[in-house]
Amino acid sequence: MLAFLQKLKARTIALMTLAAAICFTAIACSGGSTSQAGGDGINPEVVVDYIHTVLLADRTAYTKHVVNRFETLEGKPNENGVVPAEATEGWKETGGIPLPAQMFRLGAEIAAEEGTFTYGLISPWNINDSQAPKTDFEKEAMAKVIETGEPYKDYQEIGGQKYFSAVYPDNAVAEACITCHNTHPVHLERYPDKQFEMGEVMGGVVINLPLEGA
Ligand code: HEC
């Protein structure tokens, strides 16, 4: 008899837990509203922060745990390297692997096919010409980010389309970031006085979130 009662009690608790879970899910879903950022949906500031968290995590992981394991980094020996190959701008021709900035761009190009939002890398100490800050927003945001080390976020309009845009600091998170940039021939030629240090802002990650009906 006692065993039966205990069984019944356990079953009741399980049922109540299930009911509570269904209830919670229903509330969470109805409260979730639309997926369009900036409308009556999620705050665009939160959306860009989430996107940035993922971008930064992948970028850092790729640099620290893939690029940094290669024996040669853009023509120079890497003392931490264990894989007998090179991370180099000419990776396609040489049988190497892409540099972190190239990897980032390869991802950005695939993501852009979705047409939901765009992102990219910029820097006032750019090696690649197409990665200089271009729009007024990018120039102002980049300067502020270098000054403060904090992200810069604002609304902007490009060709009649409104965006919520953000620039996050792109910091020297691994030794490989600074050794490669500081010794790169283009860097040395263009910015002979600029030597990056660990942790320093080397550029910015730009995210442009188009706002519907704005
Ligand atoms: C082995 C060399 C190498 C390593 C390691 C490397 N970079 Fe670069 N980086 C480059 C080159 C070369 C470019 C330009 C090539 C391109 O984007 O097509 C570049 C581009 C960039 C840009 C865009 C502006 C520009 O210079 O065109 C930023 C910002 C940047 N790197 C920051 C970093 C950070 C931060 C790290 C570490 C997480 C890092 N880089 C690691 C070589 C390197």
Side-chain angles (χ1 to χ4, degrees), residues 10-182:
R11 211 177 273 176
T12 314
I13 290 171
L15 267 177
M16 277 168 68
T17 314
L18 185 69
I22 292 171
C23 222
F24 178 76
T25 312
I27 292 166
C29 287
S30 66
S33 181
T34 65
S35 63
Q36 181 62 42
D40 51 359
I42 314 165
N43 180 346
E45 281 216 32
V46 177
V47 177
V48 288
D49 278 352
Y50 285 173
I51 296 169
H52 175 251
T53 299
V54 179
L55 295 179
L56 182 66
D58 281 355
R59 178 159 167 72
T60 306
Y62 181 68
T63 308
K64 277 193 177 165
H65 304 301
V66 181
V67 171
N68 212 27
R69 290 174 60 78
F70 278 64
E71 284 181 357
T72 315
L73 301 183
E74 199 67 310
K76 284 173 223 83
N78 171 22
E79 58 181 42
N80 306 311
V82 290
V83 181
E86 185 181 12
T88 168
E89 209 172 336
W91 60 280
K92 266 189 194 157
E93 294 76 35
T94 61
I97 59 157
L99 297 175
Q102 294 176 304
M103 187 68 178
F104 195 80
R105 206 162 51 245
L106 289 166
E109 283 164 12
I110 296 171
E113 288 169 13
E114 291 278 325
T116 326
F117 60 89
T118 60
Y119 62 89
L121 270 183
I122 54 169
S123 173
W125 304 284
N126 58 303
I127 296 173
N128 182 325
D129 284 338
S130 67
Q131 285 161 176
K134 281 185 274 307
T135 60
D136 287 346
F137 171 85
E138 284 184 359
K139 285 178 191 155
E140 194 186 333
M142 190 70 262
K144 276 268 158 55
V145 166
I146 290 167
E147 189 190 312
T148 64
E150 296 293 326
Y152 181 99
K153 300 168 186 168
D154 206 351
Y155 293 88
Q156 66 164 333
E157 203 172 312
I158 307 170
Q161 167 71 53
K162 261 204 172 171
Y163 293 87
F164 184 75
S165 296
V167 174
Y168 294 83
D170 191 43
N171 297 319
V173 290
E175 203 66 43
C177 310
I178 57 173
T179 46
C180 190
H181 276 256
N182 287 344

